[in-house]
Amino acid sequence: MSNHPSISIDTPAERLVTVDSLYLQLMYDRIQDIYRDTDHLATALDAIKTKDDVSQGVLVAVKAALYANSELAGIVSEMFCEHALSYQAEAKDHE
């Protein structure tokens, strides 16, 4: 684990934690669920047609928020894969 770029020999012990790999996988799966759900909800709002400007504005705002949350969940998912799940793979290699 010490060859990982974000961990060095100088990393303080209080910053290091032990997490069960099953729990890491569960966290990753939930992040993926949030990503898919927000993206699907935003897409579903496209089916709503209205001629009312206020209602259309609300739909646009809600879709924008959902797409932003979906994008954020995607970023967190990538970060999670890059950092947390790579340690899970390293731990399995050493077993």
Side-chain angles (χ1 to χ4, degrees), residues 5-85:
S6 64
I7 299 293
S8 72
I9 295 173
D10 298 330
T11 301
E14 63 270 6
R15 290 185 50 204
L16 301 175
V17 296
T18 302
V19 180
D20 183 272
S21 64
L22 184 60
Y23 187 71
L24 286 176
Q25 188 62 50
L26 181 64
M27 287 171 43
Y28 175 75
D29 291 345
R30 297 300 72 86
I31 294 168
Q32 288 298 304
D33 289 344
I34 292 167
Y35 173 78
R36 282 188 299 274
D37 289 349
T38 54
D39 194 56
H40 291 153
L41 288 169
T43 302
L45 289 177
D46 286 332
I48 299 173
K49 303 297 179 201
T50 181
K51 293 181 181 181
D52 177 45
D53 290 340
V54 173
S55 297
Q56 188 62 35
V58 170
L59 287 173
V60 168
V62 171
K63 283 192 295 187
L66 286 168
Y67 280 129
N69 283 332
S70 178
E71 184 177 339
L72 180 58
I75 292 168
V76 171
S77 178
E78 288 175 16
M79 292 168 61
F80 199 83
C81 283
E82 184 179 326
H83 296 289
L85 295 182

